[in-house]
Amino acid sequence: MMSDTFEPKIVAFVCNWCTYTGADLAGTSRMQYPANVRIIKLPCTGRISPLFIMKALEQGADGVLVSGCHPGDCHYTAGNYHARRKYTIFREMLHFLGVEPERLFFSWVSAAEGRKWADLVAEVTDTVRRLGPRRSAWGEPVEGIAAPRLSANPVPFEAPAGTFAAQAEAMREKAKALLAGGEVGTVIGYEQGTLPGTARPAFVSTPEEVDRLVWNEHCHQNLAVYAARKPAKPGKVALVVKPCDERSLVGLLQENRLAREDVVLIGMACHGVQSEGALAPRCAACQTRTPALADPVIGEATPPTATADPRLEQIARIEQMAPAERWNFWQGHFSRCLKCYACRAACSLCTCERCLAEKAQPRWIPAPPDGAGNLSWHAVRAWHLAGRCVDCGACSAACPADIPLYLLNLKLAQVVKDAFDYEAGRDPAAAPPLTTYREDDAQEFIR
Amino acid sequence: MARVGVFICHCGENIARTVDCARVAEYAATLPGVAHAVDYRYMCSDPGQRLIETAIREHGLTGVVVASCSPHMHEVTFRRTVARAGLNPFLCEMANIREQCSWVHEDREAATAKACELVRLMVEKVKWNTALEPIHVPVTRKALVIGGGIAGIQAALDIANGGREVILVEKGPSIGGHMAQLSETFPTLDCSQCIMTPRMVEVKNHPNITLYTYAEVEKVDGYIGNFAVTIRKKARCVDEALCTGCGECQSKCPQGKLKTSVIPNEFDLGLSRRPAIYVPFPQAVPNVPVIDKEHCRYFQDGKCGVCQKVCPAKAVDFTQTDQVVTEQVGAIVVATGYDVMSSGEYGEYGGGRYPDVIDGLQFERLLSASGPTGGEVKRPSDGKVPETVVFIACAGSRDRSHGVPYCSKICCMYTAKHAMLYKHKVHHGQAYVFYMDIRAGGKNYDEFVRRAIEEEGAVYLRGRVSRLYQKDGQLIVKGADTLSGQPVEIAADLVVLATAIQARPGSDALAQMLKVPYDGYGFLSEAHPKLRPVETNSAGVYLAGACQAPKDIPETVAQASAAASKVLGLFSMEQMEREPTVSVVNERTCIGCFDCERVCPFGAIEHREIRDRRGNLLKVVSHVNEGVCAGCGACATTCRSGSIELRGYTDEQVFAQIAAVGV
Amino acid sequence: MAKALRTEALLDFLRAVQQDARRLVAPVEEDGLRLFRAVDRVEEITLAEGNTRWSFKEVLFPRSEALFHYRLSGGSVALQEPDQPEGETVVFGARPCDAAGLAVLDAVFAPNGRPDPDQAPEHEDPFYRRRRAQTTIIGLACLEPGPACFCTAVGLSPTGTAGSDLLLTPLPDQGVFLAEAVTEKGERLLAAHAHLFTDTDDTKEQATRAAEGRIQRTALSGVGGPLATLFEAPPWEELAARCLGCGACAFVCPTCHCFDIVDEGNAAGGSRCKFWDSCGFALFTAHTSGHNPRATQPARFRQRVLHKFRYLPERFGVQGCVGCGRCIATCPVNMDIQEVVAKVTG
């Protein structure tokens, strides 16, 4: 454009009332700053979706700046508070995916801070110019850097002898009673799968069919996925739930997907489930072993076998990688994604009738299962579950490409816990963390 | 297929000096969907606007991009231009190539290239713009005024005189506010109560005004033109309809024997005492007493009941309870006023410790003929007439250590007035004024201050007081006169602190209830500091007086009248038009999780039932009340399924711009 | 007479093949799962028994490809051909079930077989046809079919030659792969590397019997027949109650071939992309009006079953399911097509 040096393209999303006006003030005050920033004006930071940041990166922006009113000054009273929470999580997610954090900028610039705007643009431009062009296009691996592989040490599965059988018997008793008494029309539980060492969801509607139901370490699916669906048979539905599955029902209650009285919960005290012949990693240190909402709780839980969640170590290892390695780690996994959406279909909290991935006008996520399409899909999926995911493991278990989706979900759950002291699936009366705010939410990443 | 017209303005030399406008126009003509591109010297001039109108007609344009100054400057202008040519005004967008380009870049190449890109962004956006029609909302032509000080009284009277009904709600037992407490007012020195009381009576007698005193607004629902307001009328324990205001009750109240009473009189800021059943001041409106239950013996231990026995009208009713009323109004004027920082918060000047260190409002009461001393200046400690008085301006104001970096604006003037009135009452007395700057902007204001200094002999010392202590029944004030560079020490009989003007406690809660932004000090924010000074961002809510920022009486009255005129303007229509840039829900894809409702700052999200033809409930979805929606778009960002769009800032429009950056 | 390749000479053979072709695609291990990938070094190839997670069909029918690119300027649109397909490709390690599945892709995308790429009828898919012509399939017979496998139930065999150009059957006891040239391409391949192959009298009969004997699943009798009348009859609602509606079954399937087309781009230009789609998705048949003829998941599952077992045989004369068992093993809720067909036809 001007010379041979790299001239970055920087997209700035700014609110109309503070930063846009501040930028105007910089103009009326004739403050000089670099010409690399393209402002996109929106009414409020509340309207500046974090996904716009992703879209800008997808479209090749070298840097992205988001700026709005200082806390307390929002023209709409609270848009910036809500936005701040969203950016807190989204930013961490992008970092975890290997986006260079130095390319993303957040600031509060008031209508009176023309100087601040001019200085900010100069600093942002300088920073991005020094970083140079993006290392790779959105969803494409960085060349010349191998995708690191992670391995995990399987934890052997051990359940106290006889516990499953006794629980199964009590569960069937309860199911029969519910059906015989007409209290429910359908019981959704587990039955033997057609492959050795598997179980699968089963819908039974007569006491006689109940004998098909099983309960064992293979019952890993989260049956809450059927909770918000209309049953084929008339009457209420009873669900056989593990404690983690039950947490997703809390989310459904918070989001008005069903009412507590619409469903009967047969709660199973938990001993963990199996995954590939070993204890599922998420079960190793799980503290939620006994259902809290369920109508009956069947059996006694066994305590967790590990003190630390083995997956946290994996997360730590990912965080130790250089951003480019982290990026390639994820691109390596996402490159296998077929966009079969099994992760979404198996998720009990993905209840949208029309997923954003299927919104064609405009298209938020490139439709094809290619680099950009897969990365955007997985980013949106994880983002939409931030503060909502209850770590039931259904998405990872469903993925035919073995993408470790749980790592993303778990990372975001950690961020939410650290930033907002919130755990999903605990309190049906709690406001979901991305629909509320505190005036003193941390904001050290905002300049 | 889009047919976009692009109009590049030179703004004289303002843009053209650093941006090659002809080249931008040339470039714009190559963009997909651009049917016409031209540059012109002054696009906002009459011929410039005609150029646009003609081009719309001749080229059959479906969208217009004006590349010129900030949309904050001329968006309205160009939208009107476009509308005159028969195009929907919302099909016009502006590319800001002045404030955000030509004025901030010197390199002509770089600025021209950036201008091209800014134009491209807006061309892409405008292709996705849709025609928007104004929203019509019915208007309930009745106003609520919150606060019965001079601001509220003025606003209420103006609206009522304009022929519309007003509900005036005052928290205290009487209207009048701070102005009723003042002695005389600057710069004319007319008696505050003399000009105030007739207005108070006018309020009481006005057929269009319903007055609720001793009442508070508890809840505000609805939106511009259609508010539902819940008001709590606290129990006075005196029947307003029966009471004749004879005053028998308060004269007989055992708590009220002046010598023995322990109840500080709020109206006199604690400089006097009052009975438990009382009228705050003799000219109170309504002239109906109220029982202070905290101090009333009947309410505390069930004994007494004297007032009930002596009341000839049988108006005292201990069983009265709070009443909650709901009123429908179309507009709300907030006139909740201010508080002065208590001198007790200024410990370093002995405030709260030395009885003869008082604040400015207390001094007003000492000067007032209706005050505790009958208008004689006597100091609180021993009733002695002070012969030396030190006034300290900016006590709290412009002082970050007291959390008040702003100027309280009225103190310079009232301190001059105090010095002057003191001299009028104590001819041999000497007034000293410590000040930082004298801010006397206003009609006859500076002359007034000069008069205090030159004619009334007040000694003005520029500097801060460094130390203040008691010695031998006097207050020793140490400071420096920074003009002469000399240290100063004054032995004073009385010290008056011009303490800071602060927002009312609870103004933040009120602001939240009204969904009006407020600043870090609790002052309510106007919609625009220059161009919309009495409106707020909560449509239909207007500001009057010191609830917005410190103000003197003339300013307050002017703003109150301005607020009233805004209300009357709104009430001139049975229906009102609103900007159509509001959110809209795709009911087909909405699943009714109502996260949008949780983030909406305006309560604009309603629940709508979707039923089939037989009336069976299919689902409950979100619905945006267009009258309430302010267009912030937080709902659209929060909706996971992308089922909410903010008109004017749709995802399509934003994406088009993002994509245009990357091209 | 059959040919034999010594077990230890396999990599030499593959290395030689790789030098001739532009691309060698074969099963490799990646993050704990087995996939077909273009390999740089033949040592990366895994010969483990069992199936890859999904078939090699994307070599011929990529999960995503550009049909053309476009640039917009002023009022004009400039079109640009996409890059040429990948060129000469050899797929090694195709299981007989996957190879047999090519018959379905051929029937749909290149119904005239594999004629001269430039002389095909209009409705053929030129991208598929070109890739198909440039691809050689080296099949690898199964000795140990897995618990989900049921190729014999649909009339195929773990050592079947259908679809392969050259089939290698491991005969561990003899220390060789039995090599059968099935097509001219296979013949050419053998001829080109004749020095690695020796004549042999060995046969695969015993291996076939042993492998077929491992398949536990019952034969699906009268496939195509009884299903013809079962559109409304079987309790699809019950059979598919647990189906979650993802596309995993279709995407791992060697014969599923549905695709969607969208334009991906911005104001300056973009690409028209074709990519895999699945009848399991609710949107697959959704109309713009909002109407959806397959409104429920059971209706969509029924489509999958009937498409494979009735419509494809009826309309194209090909077997729609090759019994690879991938959909059964992949399905998050164990929707089992073999079990369902056995139930509704039996």
Side-chain angles (χ1 to χ4, degrees):
Chain A
M1 182 161 73
M2 279 165 280
S3 63
D4 291 338
T5 59
F6 165 60
E7 287 301 335
K9 285 198 177 188
I10 296 158
V11 182
F13 297 101
V14 309
C15 84
N16 178 49
W17 302 97
C18 290
T19 304
Y20 194 88
T21 313
D24 275 356
L25 176 62
T28 44
S29 315
R30 309 297 199 276
M31 293 165 181
Q32 299 296 303
Y33 57 78
N36 302 61
V37 164
R38 306 287 170 266
I39 281 188
I40 296 178
K41 172 170 73 91
L42 291 138
C44 176
T45 41
R47 174 69 187 102
I48 302 174
S49 168
L51 296 181
F52 291 163
I53 301 170
M54 185 183 87
K55 202 74 191 167
L57 293 172
E58 180 204 300
Q59 290 290 324
D62 298 302
V64 182
L65 165 63
V66 178
S67 185
C69 307
H70 286 272
D73 287 353
C74 176
H75 181 85
Y76 306 100
T77 67
N80 51 358
Y81 288 131
H82 285 296
R84 185 170 63 185
R85 283 209 157 191
K86 293 185 167 95
Y87 304 149
T88 300
I89 300 174
F90 198 77
R91 186 174 153 275
E92 291 277 358
M93 183 184 80
L94 290 181
H95 294 182
F96 194 62
L97 288 172
V99 172
E100 294 157 284
E102 299 85 359
R103 294 184 188 273
L104 307 178
F105 305 85
F106 299 84
S107 70
W108 305 135
V109 173
S110 80
E113 293 176 323
R115 181 78 265 161
K116 184 173 178 184
W117 172 255
D119 292 347
L120 181 69
V121 171
E123 189 201 329
V124 164
T125 307
D126 186 51
T127 307
V128 178
R129 188 181 282 135
R130 274 190 285 108
L131 283 173
R134 291 253 300 279
R135 302 160 308 186
S136 70
W138 185 250
E140 300 301 328
V142 178
E143 278 181 33
I145 292 177
R149 306 285 170 188
L150 275 191
S151 56
N153 297 325
V155 183
F157 183 88
E158 294 160 29
T163 45
F164 281 118
Q167 271 183 299
E169 199 43 54
M171 176 267 290
R172 284 189 289 262
E173 286 289 307
K174 178 67 187 172
K176 276 182 191 163
L178 286 169
L179 288 167
E183 198 178 326
V184 303
T186 309
V187 173
I188 307 179
Y190 300 92
E191 67 184 0
Q192 189 72 47
T194 59
L195 299 176
T198 62
R200 67 185 186 189
F203 289 55
V204 297
S205 49
T206 61
E208 296 73 48
E209 290 175 278
V210 166
D211 289 329
R212 267 165 52 203
L213 297 185
V214 300
W215 172 246
N216 56 41
E217 67 272 32
H218 307 301
C219 298
H220 68 84
Q221 292 99 342
N222 179 351
L223 303 182
V225 71
Y226 301 110
R229 301 186 185 192
K230 206 169 141 44
K233 295 270 175 9
K236 262 196 211 183
V237 168
L239 291 175
V240 175
V241 289
K242 300 185 289 296
C244 51
D245 309 341
E246 198 195 60
R247 287 177 61 196
S248 51
L249 278 155
V250 171
L252 296 173
L253 294 174
Q254 283 171 300
E255 293 170 7
N256 302 299
R257 305 309 296 132
L258 78 165
R260 180 64 190 86
E261 59 273 17
D262 294 344
V263 63
V264 174
L265 301 177
I266 305 175
M268 306 304 281
C270 196
H271 322 290
V273 296
Q274 249 192 27
S275 162
E276 294 174 2
L279 180 66
R282 73 190 152 92
C283 302
C286 170
Q287 298 291 330
T288 311
R289 317 286 286 192
T290 306
L293 281 184
D295 304 289
V297 174
I298 293 175
E300 291 280 327
T302 41
T305 50
T307 47
D309 188 334
R311 301 168 305 164
L312 296 180
E313 206 251 304
Q314 290 182 303
I315 288 178
R317 275 158 65 196
I318 294 171
E319 284 171 337
Q320 282 156 14
M321 296 175 190
E325 287 179 326
R326 205 149 61 219
W327 175 265
N328 280 11
F329 168 80
W330 286 111
Q331 303 320 318
H333 282 292
F334 295 157
S335 72
R336 293 195 300 272
C337 176
L338 304 167
K339 283 254 186 97
C340 70
Y341 298 114
C343 45
R344 179 181 72 191
C347 178
S348 44
L349 287 159
C350 277
T351 57
C352 289
E353 284 174 27
R354 193 259 341 252
C355 176
L356 197 69
E358 275 137 14
K359 188 172 182 182
Q361 286 181 319
R363 195 173 289 289
W364 285 81
I365 298 163
D370 56 13
N374 287 353
L375 174 54
S376 289
W377 159 246
H378 288 288
V380 168
R381 194 200 65 82
W383 163 239
H384 279 180
L385 284 159
R388 300 171 68 234
C389 173
V390 296
D391 195 21
C392 74
C395 52
S396 306
C399 179
D402 290 0
I403 301 171
L405 300 166
Y406 62 89
L407 291 173
L408 256 178
N409 293 339
L410 186 61
K411 170 67 191 170
L412 295 195
Q414 279 186 313
V415 174
V416 168
K417 177 87 174 76
D418 292 347
F420 312 128
D421 193 25
Y422 179 92
E423 266 187 287
R426 299 290 182 198
D427 176 9
L434 286 176
T435 63
T436 183
Y437 63 88
R438 285 169 50 116
E439 289 179 8
D440 61 352
D441 281 333
Q443 57 165 35
E444 68 285 345
F445 66 95
I446 302 175
R447 38 190 96 198
Chain B
M1 184 67 187
R3 296 182 57 80
V4 178
V6 182
F7 301 88
I8 321 288
C9 178
H10 295 209
C11 196
E13 278 294 293
N14 278 310
I15 293 170
R17 192 174 56 243
T18 35
V19 171
D20 184 340
C21 296
R23 227 168 79 203
V24 177
E26 258 169 53
Y27 169 78
T30 68
L31 293 171
V34 170
H36 179 68
V38 66
D39 59 304
Y40 185 72
R41 201 167 164 74
Y42 283 110
M43 212 52 90
C44 63
S45 67
D46 261 0
Q49 293 191 48
R50 274 204 298 279
L51 193 80
I52 298 174
E53 288 175 56
T54 312
I56 291 171
R57 294 199 186 92
E58 282 183 1
H59 297 276
L61 299 181
T62 59
V64 165
V65 172
V66 183
S68 57
C69 52
S70 168
H72 290 184
M73 181 69 78
H74 270 318
E75 190 171 70
V76 172
T77 311
F78 289 116
R79 280 189 173 162
R80 283 193 190 129
T81 309
V82 162
R84 278 198 301 278
L87 204 58
N88 184 284
F90 292 91
L91 297 174
C92 169
E93 291 285 351
M94 289 182 72
N96 185 342
I97 61 167
R98 192 180 74 173
E99 282 86 343
Q100 296 181 9
C101 189
S102 72
W103 278 351
V104 289
H105 307 312
E106 275 162 353
D107 184 318
R108 192 170 169 80
E109 271 306 302
T112 303
K114 178 172 169 181
C116 288
E117 294 205 17
L118 294 178
V119 165
R120 185 175 66 215
L121 253 65
M122 277 309 166
V123 166
E124 292 311 326
K125 180 182 184 193
V126 83
K127 286 186 202 169
W128 293 101
N129 282 25
T130 50
L132 302 179
E133 299 303 331
I135 295 161
H136 295 276
V137 181
V139 176
T140 303
R141 295 194 271 188
K142 187 178 190 181
L144 168 73
V145 176
I146 307 175
I150 183 58
I153 287 172
Q154 183 70 34
L157 285 173
D158 283 359
I159 297 168
N161 289 336
R164 299 298 172 196
E165 283 183 64
V166 180
I167 295 160
L168 178 59
V169 176
E170 165 58 43
K171 187 155 94 175
S174 167
I175 58 172
H178 283 314
M179 189 174 164
Q181 294 173 293
L182 306 183
S183 53
E184 290 165 18
T185 56
F186 60 79
T188 47
L189 296 187
D190 36 4
C191 159
S192 186
Q193 286 193 335
C194 309
I195 54 178
M196 186 65 176
T197 31
R199 312 233 74 187
M200 290 159 62
V201 173
E202 199 183 338
V203 165
K204 183 172 160 43
N205 295 334
H206 204 296
N208 280 344
I209 299 180
T210 307
L211 180 60
Y212 292 134
T213 52
Y214 211 49
E216 285 188 66
V217 176
E218 232 173 34
K219 191 160 157 249
V220 176
D221 287 322
Y223 53 97
I224 182 168
N226 300 276
F227 294 106
V229 184
T230 309
I231 300 163
R232 175 174 294 271
K233 292 174 69 183
K234 290 173 283 188
R236 267 189 126 91
C237 298
V238 176
D239 189 324
E240 281 185 64
L242 298 177
C243 176
T244 60
C246 69
E248 192 66 8
C249 52
Q250 52 179 340
S251 65
K252 294 285 175 0
C253 173
Q255 292 280 62
K257 305 285 180 240
L258 270 176
K259 293 281 179 298
T260 60
S261 171
V262 294
I263 314 171
N265 184 340
E266 297 87 351
F267 190 74
D268 284 339
L269 297 125
L271 294 175
S272 68
R273 303 281 177 265
R274 63 158 170 80
I277 184 166
Y278 70 104
V279 176
F281 54 101
Q283 305 90 331
V285 169
N287 186 17
V288 176
V290 55
I291 294 182
D292 170 2
K293 297 196 190 78
E294 240 178 79
H295 293 104
C296 171
R297 278 193 193 166
Y298 180 84
F299 281 99
Q300 291 307 314
D301 45 31
K303 294 171 195 151
C304 192
V306 169
C307 49
Q308 195 172 42
K309 286 176 205 128
V310 302
C311 176
K314 301 284 168 236
V316 176
D317 175 6
F318 295 127
T319 65
Q320 223 180 50
T321 52
D322 290 4
Q323 275 183 300
V324 176
V325 293
T326 305
E327 295 274 2
Q328 305 294 321
V329 298
I332 298 174
V333 177
V334 188
T336 48
Y338 65 96
D339 266 347
V340 291
M341 182 191 271
S342 155
S343 56
E345 285 186 43
Y346 231 98
E348 54 269 55
Y349 288 168
R353 261 185 303 143
Y354 307 145
D356 293 332
V357 175
I358 61 174
D359 65 46
L361 206 49
Q362 288 175 313
F363 195 62
E364 291 285 347
R365 294 311 298 148
L366 292 183
L367 293 169
S368 172
S370 71
T373 55
E376 277 187 71
V377 181
K378 291 179 181 169
R379 65 182 197 178
S381 61
D382 53 10
K384 182 187 156 197
V385 174
E387 291 179 3
T388 306
V389 180
V390 169
F391 295 93
I392 303 176
C394 291
S397 308
R398 304 171 69 195
D399 184 351
R400 283 181 196 281
S401 66
H402 283 87
V404 184
Y406 56 85
C407 167
S408 290
K409 198 169 185 182
I410 61 173
C411 326
C412 285
M413 292 309 297
Y414 79 61
T415 299
K417 178 190 78 179
H418 285 172
M420 204 182 275
L421 292 177
Y422 165 67
K423 191 73 180 169
H424 292 180
K425 304 228 173 194
V426 185
H427 300 306
H428 61 286
Q430 180 58 52
Y432 295 92
V433 178
F434 282 92
Y435 71 101
M436 285 163 70
D437 305 286
I438 296 173
R439 297 182 170 180
K443 191 173 177 180
N444 293 325
Y445 281 18
D446 198 57
E447 296 91 319
F448 184 78
V449 176
R450 305 273 16 129
R451 208 170 103 207
I453 299 169
E454 290 161 10
E455 295 175 24
E456 311 284 0
V459 175
Y460 267 63
L461 298 160
R462 189 170 195 277
R464 299 292 287 171
V465 170
S466 57
R467 205 168 156 225
L468 194 156
Y469 56 94
Q470 235 172 357
K471 194 181 167 190
D472 304 332
Q474 283 199 301
L475 296 158
I476 310 301
V477 182
K478 284 187 155 179
D481 177 3
T482 56
L483 295 180
S484 65
Q486 297 298 314
V488 182
E489 182 176 315
I490 299 161
D493 298 317
L494 182 68
V495 172
V496 180
L497 305 179
T499 54
I501 300 292
Q502 291 183 303
R504 288 263 194 207
S507 62
D508 48 353
L510 176 75
Q512 284 165 17
M513 182 164 69
L514 293 166
K515 299 170 181 91
V516 172
Y518 54 99
D519 65 19
Y521 314 106
F523 291 113
L524 275 52
S525 302
E526 64 283 0
H528 189 281
K530 291 170 196 150
L531 303 178
R532 296 173 69 200
V534 302
E535 292 149 282
T536 68
N537 288 325
S538 194
V541 180
Y542 306 91
L543 304 179
C547 65
Q548 180 243 355
K551 281 190 189 67
D552 61 17
I553 294 167
E555 266 190 298
T556 296
V557 170
Q559 195 188 14
S561 287
S565 82
K566 285 285 170 195
V567 172
L568 289 171
L570 173 66
F571 288 179
S572 67
M573 302 168 287
E574 281 181 23
Q575 285 200 322
M576 53 166 297
E577 279 194 1
R578 292 207 60 197
E579 278 262 306
T581 45
V582 295
S583 288
V584 57
V585 176
N586 180 343
E587 292 179 350
R588 205 167 57 74
T589 56
C590 172
I591 57 166
C593 73
F594 296 109
D595 276 0
C596 49
E597 186 182 20
R598 294 186 169 107
V599 299
C600 177
F602 302 96
I605 303 287
E606 297 171 349
H607 294 211
R608 173 176 279 189
E609 293 183 341
I610 304 291
R611 293 178 181 277
D612 66 11
R613 268 172 289 183
R614 293 202 188 84
N616 300 313
L617 183 66
L618 297 177
K619 61 176 180 177
V620 182
V621 299
S622 291
H623 177 74
V624 175
N625 183 324
E626 295 185 335
V628 189
C629 177
C632 73
C635 53
T637 300
T638 302
C639 181
R640 283 183 292 277
S641 61
S643 299
I644 305 186
E645 285 285 13
L646 175 62
R647 290 186 179 130
Y649 296 94
T650 62
D651 294 335
E652 294 272 12
Q653 290 171 310
V654 179
F655 280 22
Q657 291 179 82
I658 296 172
V661 173
V663 169
Chain C
M1 176 170 283
K3 297 280 183 184
L5 173 69
R6 281 180 304 109
T7 305
E8 57 275 20
L10 176 69
L11 291 189
D12 293 335
F13 170 57
L14 292 175
R15 214 172 282 121
V17 165
Q18 192 182 22
Q19 272 162 10
D20 296 344
R22 278 189 54 197
R23 189 164 74 126
L24 174 65
V25 176
V28 297
E29 288 276 341
E30 178 183 308
D31 287 318
L33 69 167
R34 207 178 325 146
L35 298 170
F36 279 98
R37 290 277 203 203
V39 295
D40 294 327
R41 297 181 314 112
V42 295
E43 287 75 13
E44 297 166 30
I45 298 171
T46 171
L47 295 173
E49 279 291 336
N51 269 331
T52 50
R53 197 59 69 88
W54 52 84
S55 84
F56 65 85
K57 79 176 171 192
E58 59 185 321
V59 170
L60 300 161
F61 169 40
R63 58 180 103 153
S64 168
E65 69 178 318
L67 301 179
F68 59 80
H69 308 294
Y70 60 92
R71 296 285 308 169
L72 302 172
S73 171
S76 69
V77 183
L79 295 186
Q80 192 200 327
E81 284 285 314
D83 292 341
Q84 286 299 303
E86 298 74 8
E88 282 296 326
T89 298
V90 172
V91 175
F92 166 74
R95 295 296 181 192
C97 49
D98 289 357
L102 287 176
V104 175
L105 301 185
D106 288 346
V108 174
F109 294 132
N112 290 347
R114 278 171 283 166
D116 179 345
D118 298 322
Q119 306 243 319
E122 239 346 85
H123 67 272
E124 288 209 338
D125 180 328
F127 298 94
Y128 179 85
R129 203 177 60 230
R130 219 173 287 148
R131 288 198 181 92
R132 186 74 171 100
Q134 292 178 341
T135 300
T136 305
I137 310 288
I138 304 177
L140 183 62
C142 277
L143 296 189
E144 295 177 30
C149 290
F150 64 104
C151 60
T152 52
V154 292
L156 298 170
S157 164
T159 63
T161 55
S164 292
D165 294 301
L166 176 71
L167 178 72
L168 300 182
T169 305
L171 302 177
D173 292 345
Q174 285 81 355
V176 297
F177 290 96
L178 192 73
E180 296 170 81
V182 186
T183 63
E184 273 179 37
K185 270 187 194 169
E187 299 279 4
R188 282 202 297 273
L189 205 55
L190 273 189
H193 307 284
H195 64 285
L196 292 169
F197 293 86
T198 53
D199 290 346
T200 179
D201 293 327
D202 292 334
T203 68
K204 63 181 181 183
E205 256 175 67
Q206 205 189 338
T208 304
R209 241 179 295 129
E212 289 183 352
R214 286 173 181 271
I215 294 175
Q216 302 296 310
R217 289 172 173 257
T218 54
L220 302 176
S221 61
V223 162
L227 283 166
T229 56
L230 291 176
F231 188 80
E232 299 291 352
W236 295 109
E237 285 288 343
E238 269 172 48
L239 288 170
R242 67 177 184 281
C243 176
L244 295 171
C246 72
C249 47
F251 292 172
V252 299
C253 175
T255 69
C256 272
H257 49 264
C258 288
F259 57 84
D260 194 2
I261 295 178
V262 299
D263 287 355
E264 288 287 339
N266 55 33
S271 307
R272 179 153 300 173
C273 298
K274 168 181 155 191
F275 57 96
W276 291 358
D277 202 351
S278 163
C279 59
F281 295 143
L283 275 189
F284 187 74
T285 46
H287 296 182
T288 311
S289 66
H291 173 65
N292 192 340
R294 288 186 211 134
T296 64
Q297 203 54 37
R300 298 190 270 272
F301 181 70
R302 174 182 62 197
Q303 164 65 20
R304 174 170 169 77
V305 174
L306 293 185
H307 195 191
K308 300 232 175 278
F309 288 93
R310 180 181 152 196
Y311 308 145
L312 278 167
E314 274 178 10
R315 289 172 202 169
F316 293 88
V318 291
Q319 179 67 51
C321 172
V322 293
C324 73
R326 282 197 185 82
C327 54
I328 301 170
T330 304
C331 178
V333 292
N334 187 222
M335 296 296 294
D336 187 324
I337 196 168
Q338 189 271 340
E339 179 194 28
V340 166
V341 174
K343 197 177 271 179
V344 300
T345 57

